[in-house]
Amino acid sequence: MKDQMIRGADIVVRSLIAEQAEVIFGYPGGAIMPVYDALHDYHDQLRHVLTRHEQGAIHAAQGYARVSGKVGVCLATSGPGATNLITGMADAQIDSTPLVCITGQVAAHLLGTDAFQETDMIGISMPCSKWNIQVRSVEEIAPAIAKAFYIARSGRPGPVLIDITKNAQVDFGEFNYVPCLGFRSYKTHNPIETSAIAKAADLINSAERPYVLFGQGVVLGKAEAELKFFLDKSGIPAACTLLGSGALPQDHPNYVGKLGMHGNYAPNLLTNKCDVLIAVGMRFDDRVTGDLKRYAKQARIVHLELDPAEVNKTVKCEVAVLGDCRESLAMLTAAVDAKKHDTWMKRFRDLEEEETAAVMQHDLTPTKDGLTMGEVINIVNQYKADDAVLVTDVGQHQMIAWRYFNYKKTRTQVTSGGLGTMGFALPAALGAQLHDYSRQVICVVGDGGIQMTIQELGTIMQTKAPVKIVLLNNNYLGMVRQWQQMFFDKRYSFTELDNPDFVKIAEAYNIKAQKVTERGDLREAVEDMLIHDGPFFLEVVVEKEDNVFPMIATGCSVEEVRLS
């Protein structure tokens, strides 16, 4: 599309519109001001959300991207505005979230002079971006944005950064937007080798105790239906990673639970008992494997993976099936035998009963006076919609919410997985909600993490986003405290918190709020929260020294998973 000569700032905005961006999150400043001036003329075509901090902007863009499946967009000025995006970029990089981050920069003739708010964003962002570029002339803007969107969303998704000098924003140029459809040096995926499918099928067909571990790659590859068909035919038990939650409904007969440090007992323990392990769209993170020297050594491993860099990175596989798992799963389903693995499945169910008696009974139906985190999530489950989105911060509440939230639909799990970013949840929930105002977004936070980005309550107030915030307050940095209790002789060093009146803070932002301290008030409060037409802040005071189990301690084998 060609047009008359326009400012570079207008080219930025028109390029975003051409890429069908719907909402962007940002914070204005001097070096990006021309773009903000241009946004004023396009507010009916592109919504801008003013967050209260740049970190809030990028986490909101992440939440939007994770729920929508689209590219999230954020905008910041140079210097501190730009560097405030780095945590979110690192988070998006490790969790494969597609983002386009646009930052302003000082004029090209000032580069390298330590001008006011000049920062080397290309150097800083290189380790935590999929691609970055500095644009110094108006002619480079549209091609850079086109390439950025293509790279962000294609192959294994990730964050990209475009740093645009101020002169490029104010100079005039011709708007000629051509979407990027690929370029020579960038390969998005590998063609699937039929020989690899045949080898994988042979291993699976001969297995007595096959086991599927699936991760977020299933969601990113839109392969949820293909995973279900594969499991329906093969009869193989399947467990998910943290970010894989929701890819398979939890009521599927082959679903056996969650993997990892605070996952379920059976999925962890039986990893070291299977004879063929099929990993689908997961990267064998250390929180899943535990001690690598003692991880699944008895198993022959098949790895279905898009990114070649993840294959044999930590766990050696016998058969690597490189390519889109939507394709490879369909091909593998056609090649495997229809089977039942009832005896093998019973081992999972028997261990599940052990976990229920040892852990879940305490978490979900406690006898103590104090409220537990698990019973709060259990009651939320009873009132939430089937397609409700769970957004969590990082810590004990994250693990408890993950363990007990009933996932029935895909793209209903939003959390910081690989980086573990405290402060992620509140802005991410805002971004998730702004994708769809009609959908329930339930934000579960701890009293530590929420205070890192609590100012985004102001953005929720301004946008009227009906986010439901559940604060599980134990007046501790709970996960660190649990480790101090278990491994540091209860030396609680700087983990106890003197907290503010959260209800008053929420009400100051014109958000309806309630505090629950008694079990008898919890059910009604949760119901009131979920039917409320607008944002709601529910603080629940929970036991101060309640721990999350099962648990695999750092350096231990998955077989050393503890129930207490």
Side-chain angles (χ1 to χ4, degrees):
M1 57 182 83
K2 289 193 174 184
D3 213 329
Q4 72 278 10
M5 300 289 281
I6 58 175
R7 291 183 307 165
D10 290 279
I11 291 175
V12 171
V13 178
R14 288 199 190 185
S15 297
L16 294 174
I17 293 169
E19 287 289 346
Q20 299 182 338
E22 300 166 330
V23 57
I24 59 176
F25 304 88
Y27 204 96
I32 199 67
M33 205 172 294
V35 172
Y36 271 87
D37 182 65
L39 280 169
H40 191 272
D41 295 328
Y42 297 92
H43 61 86
D44 57 336
Q45 299 177 66
L46 182 62
R47 183 181 184 186
H48 177 276
V49 175
L50 174 65
T51 58
R52 298 306 184 261
H53 192 281
E54 291 87 358
Q55 184 176 346
I58 193 165
H59 289 331
Q62 287 177 270
Y64 175 88
R66 294 271 284 274
V67 171
S68 69
K70 301 177 181 179
V71 177
V73 183
C74 59
L75 202 56
T77 192
S78 63
T83 57
N84 282 341
L85 298 180
I86 292 297
T87 295
M89 289 185 68
D91 193 288
Q93 175 82 336
I94 200 167
D95 282 354
S96 303
T97 305
L99 296 181
V100 169
C101 309
I102 298 175
T103 54
Q105 184 55 275
V106 301
H109 73 278
L110 292 174
L111 290 171
T113 68
D114 291 332
F116 178 66
Q117 292 192 332
E118 180 194 356
T119 307
D120 178 12
M121 279 306 293
I122 299 302
I124 292 172
S125 67
M126 192 171 291
C128 56
S129 60
K130 189 176 176 185
W131 180 70
N132 63 16
I133 187 172
Q134 187 171 79
V135 172
R136 301 185 183 188
S137 68
V138 66
E139 293 82 11
E140 299 174 86
I141 292 175
I145 292 177
K147 193 172 182 179
F149 270 86
Y150 178 73
I151 292 174
R153 66 164 69 98
S154 61
R156 181 177 178 175
V160 300
L161 173 83
I162 310 171
D163 194 45
I164 308 178
T165 60
K166 196 165 185 179
N167 61 286
Q169 298 173 49
V170 299
D171 288 346
F172 282 77
E174 186 180 76
F175 180 55
N176 181 24
Y177 196 80
V178 179
C180 181
L181 302 176
F183 50 96
R184 188 174 58 183
S185 61
Y186 176 56
K187 190 176 183 181
T188 61
H189 65 278
N190 290 275
I192 297 168
E193 296 181 2
T194 55
S195 60
I197 294 291
K199 289 177 184 176
D202 285 345
L203 280 181
I204 294 167
N205 289 335
S206 63
E208 294 182 5
R209 299 180 307 282
Y211 186 18
V212 170
L213 314 182
F214 65 91
Q216 188 187 203
V218 175
V219 177
L220 297 175
K222 300 179 182 178
E224 296 92 342
E226 285 73 18
L227 175 65
K228 182 179 179 297
F229 295 151
F230 175 73
L231 296 175
D232 288 344
K233 183 178 180 182
S234 67
I236 301 174
C240 71
T241 66
L242 174 64
L243 296 186
S245 302
L248 184 73
Q250 291 189 176
D251 57 3
H252 190 280
N254 296 51
Y255 179 77
V256 294
K258 301 172 175 70
L259 299 157
M261 179 174 281
H262 290 291
N264 294 115
Y265 189 51
N268 282 310
L269 192 65
L270 295 181
T271 298
N272 278 11
K273 302 299 180 184
C274 67
D275 56 0
V276 173
L277 189 153
I278 305 110
V280 184
M282 55 89 73
R283 58 186 181 86
F284 292 108
D285 178 77
D286 65 291
R287 289 293 171 107
V288 165
T289 65
D291 181 9
L292 282 168
K293 294 177 182 177
R294 292 180 285 167
Y295 180 77
K297 292 302 179 184
Q298 81 295 336
R300 304 173 79 178
I301 296 175
V302 176
H303 196 176
L304 278 63
E305 175 59 48
L306 182 73
D307 185 357
E310 295 296 346
V311 175
N312 295 322
K313 185 175 75 174
T314 57
V315 175
K316 301 299 180 185
C317 66
E318 186 163 334
V319 181
V321 183
L322 286 171
D324 187 331
C325 67
R326 188 176 184 181
E327 248 184 283
S328 58
L329 275 171
M331 294 170 68
L332 198 55
T333 301
V336 298
D337 297 336
K339 281 189 177 182
K340 297 285 185 184
H341 294 280
D342 295 337
T343 303
W344 173 229
M345 184 71 76
K346 187 176 184 300
R347 295 181 66 176
F348 285 91
R349 300 310 179 199
D350 289 346
L351 290 170
E352 188 177 290
E353 289 183 11
E354 285 187 39
E355 182 180 347
T356 298
V359 178
M360 295 182 182
Q361 189 170 338
H362 160 77
D363 287 349
L364 303 182
T365 55
T367 56
K368 293 182 180 179
D369 292 335
L371 287 161
T372 68
M373 295 176 284
E375 67 180 306
V376 178
I377 303 303
N378 190 37
I379 290 176
V380 168
N381 271 331
Q382 296 170 32
Y383 291 95
K384 74 175 182 68
D386 282 352
D387 66 345
V389 177
L390 172 69
V391 185
T392 56
D393 216 86
V394 172
Q396 285 184 314
H397 70 276
Q398 175 194 32
M399 294 293 98
I400 286 287
W402 173 52
R403 283 178 51 78
Y404 296 120
F405 192 83
N406 187 7
Y407 299 95
K408 293 188 177 181
K409 305 285 185 181
T410 190
R411 293 194 178 273
T412 53
Q413 160 76 326
V414 180
T415 195
S416 173
L419 197 65
T421 304
M422 292 179 68
F424 172 88
L426 194 61
L430 165 71
Q433 188 73 80
L434 292 186
H435 168 62
D436 186 352
Y437 271 78
S438 67
R439 194 171 177 185
Q440 274 184 359
V441 174
I442 301 168
C443 175
V444 179
V445 291
D447 47 313
I450 193 173
Q451 293 185 79
M452 292 191 172
T453 52
I454 198 168
Q455 69 277 358
E456 298 309 329
L457 289 173
T459 315
I460 291 172
M461 173 181 67
Q462 189 163 352
T463 59
K464 298 180 173 57
V467 177
K468 313 306 181 189
I469 304 156
V470 181
L471 167 61
L472 301 180
N473 186 357
N474 58 12
N475 289 102
Y476 269 110
L477 299 176
M479 189 60 83
V480 182
R481 184 213 54 77
Q482 177 170 338
W483 281 57
Q484 289 175 337
Q485 176 185 338
M486 296 177 67
F487 308 117
F488 293 88
D489 300 320
K490 293 188 176 182
R491 290 160 57 86
Y492 295 156
S493 179
F494 303 102
T495 47
E496 189 166 10
L497 295 170
D498 288 338
N499 285 321
D501 188 327
F502 289 109
V503 169
K504 284 184 178 179
I505 292 174
E507 289 175 341
Y509 283 106
N510 202 29
I511 295 171
K512 187 173 181 180
Q514 184 177 346
K515 183 175 182 176
V516 170
T517 59
E518 303 293 333
R519 182 167 287 113
D521 300 326
L522 179 61
R523 186 173 296 273
E524 184 178 355
V526 169
E527 187 175 13
D528 288 347
M529 173 185 72
L530 291 177
I531 64 174
H532 178 66
D533 184 19
F536 195 106
F537 191 104
L538 177 61
E539 177 186 0
V540 183
V541 177
V542 296
E543 288 187 16
K544 294 187 72 170
E545 295 188 74
D546 201 15
N547 290 332
V548 185
F549 289 104
M551 180 180 182
I552 303 168
T554 299
C556 289
S557 163
V558 289
E559 286 187 290
E560 296 173 298
V561 55
R562 298 172 52 171
L563 290 174
S564 62

